[in-house]
């Protein structure tokens, strides 16, 4: 039997109407008498995955997973209207109210960590604990580092390959050029750009991705959807004021938490995790050595399971 076949299956799955024409795919996993937890996927736009269920022991947790607006199995697919950070935070609250949960553990990585922080800072009384991975604060500087400055310094061959996929006239401002293409309504522009962007980002997320040629990504097959939603959020500065998540981190004080951070994460470097941990004050910062950004990097999943368990222990003690 494969590992995939042993992953927990959902108790139930629904389509939840959250207004603005959006319906969210939401699933319950584990046991309804367990410690409540919600998982926030990354991207924006990647959707919840079967592997994410494995973070939660089905005998211990009442885990909620969902696809954010426009993502995965939610409807309308790839809809960017009424799709902002404010809307997603409101959706998390709508899910909590739907299931009658008072407080829960909030788990999220990369963009999921951004959304988790935004939610917890707005609704701290509803958060029993936070487990975050690969902190991203939604700033222009972080995007510039992740897609331009970082690759220039650490993966210059890959970066030149990224440039080469653009017409020569557009290579002076590659980030703007890709965003223009990814936010276009013309599939002749956004489809090839999405394929290249996806392969580029995936390669940057791994410490040892092997040999990658971005030209290989432009072949046939399903277009990866995440770059289109990412571009929408990047173009709008993630619908966050500059430094908003750091400036409001005092609202997290007293909430127990663990930040799991790959030591060599090129997309979301450790500086952001360190800054959040200092501003938060009640969080543990756990570095995973010899790991990059992706959740599948060695040691990351185990560290997340351990962190969720330790936060759940504190929640259980608090209930007695």
């Amino acid at each position: 039997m494969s590992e995939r076949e042993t992953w927990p299956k959902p108790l139930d799955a629904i389509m939840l109407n959250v207004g603005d024409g959006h319906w969210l795919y939401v699933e319950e996993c584990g046991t309804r008498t367990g410690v409540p937890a919600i998982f926030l996927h990354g991207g924006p736009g990647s959707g919840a995955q079967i592997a994410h269920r494995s973070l939660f022991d089905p005998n211990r947790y009442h885990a909620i997973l969902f696809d954010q607006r426009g993502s995965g199995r939610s409807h309308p697919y790839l809809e960017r209207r009424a799709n902002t950070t404010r809307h997603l935070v409101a959706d998390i609250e709508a899910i909590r109210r739907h299931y009658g949960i008072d407080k829960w553990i909030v788990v999220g990585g990369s963009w999921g960590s951004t959304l988790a922080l935004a939610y917890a800072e707005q609704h701290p009384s509803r958060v029993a604990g936070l487990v975050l991975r690969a902190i991203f604060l939604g700033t222009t500087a972080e995007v510039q580092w992740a897609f331009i400055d970082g690759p220039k310094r650490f993966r210059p061959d890959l970066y030149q390959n990224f440039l080469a996929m653009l017409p020569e006239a557009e290579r002076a401002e590659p980030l703007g050029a890709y965003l223009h293409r990814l936010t276009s309504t013309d599939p002749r522009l956004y489809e090839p750009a999405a394929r290249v962007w996806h392969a580029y980002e995936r390669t940057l997320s791994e410490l040892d991705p092997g040999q990658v040629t971005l030209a290989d990504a432009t072949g046939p097959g399903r277009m990866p959807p995440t770059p289109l939603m990412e571009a929408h959020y990047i173009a709008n500065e993630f619908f966050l004021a500059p430094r908003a998540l750091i400036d409001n981190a005092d609202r997290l004080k007293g909430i127990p938490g663990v930040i799991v951070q790959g030591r060599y994460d090129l997309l979301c470097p450790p500086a952001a995790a360190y800054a959040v941990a200092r501003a938060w004050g009640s969080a543990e910062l756990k570095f995973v050595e010899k790991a990059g950004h992706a959740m599948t990097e060695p040691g990351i999943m185990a560290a997340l399971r351990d962190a969720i368990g330790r936060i759940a222990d504190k929640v259980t003690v608090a209930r007695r």
Side-chain angles (χ1 to χ4, degrees), residues 3 71 93 141 235 241 256 285 298 317:
E3 181 185 4
S71 304
E93 265 297 273
L285 177 55
V317 168

Side-chain angles (χ1 to χ4, degrees), residues 233-273:
Y233 273 80
I234 292 171
N236 289 282
E237 298 178 318
F238 293 90
F239 303 94
L240 290 166
R243 289 187 52 84
L245 298 181
I246 285 290
D247 289 345
N248 293 323
D250 61 308
R251 299 177 185 176
L252 305 176
K253 291 191 184 301
I255 297 176
V258 181
I259 300 171
V260 174
Q261 178 68 44
R263 176 69 74 180
Y264 299 104
D265 187 334
L266 190 59
L267 290 172
C268 297

Side-chain angles (χ1 to χ4, degrees), residues 154-207:
F154 291 99
R155 297 212 170 146
D157 50 341
L158 181 69
Y159 177 71
Q160 288 302 318
N161 201 194
F162 185 60
L163 287 185
M165 302 304 293
L166 291 169
E168 191 168 353
E170 298 181 37
R171 294 176 190 172
E173 296 290 342
L175 187 57
Y178 273 100
L179 292 180
H180 170 73
R181 289 164 176 270
L182 291 169
T183 55
S184 169
T185 58
D186 184 348
R188 293 172 298 177
L189 286 179
Y190 69 71
E191 285 191 6
R195 295 178 192 278
V196 171
W197 182 278
H198 177 73
Y200 183 62
E201 186 174 20
R202 182 190 60 77
T203 304
L204 292 170
S205 74
E206 298 174 355
L207 194 58

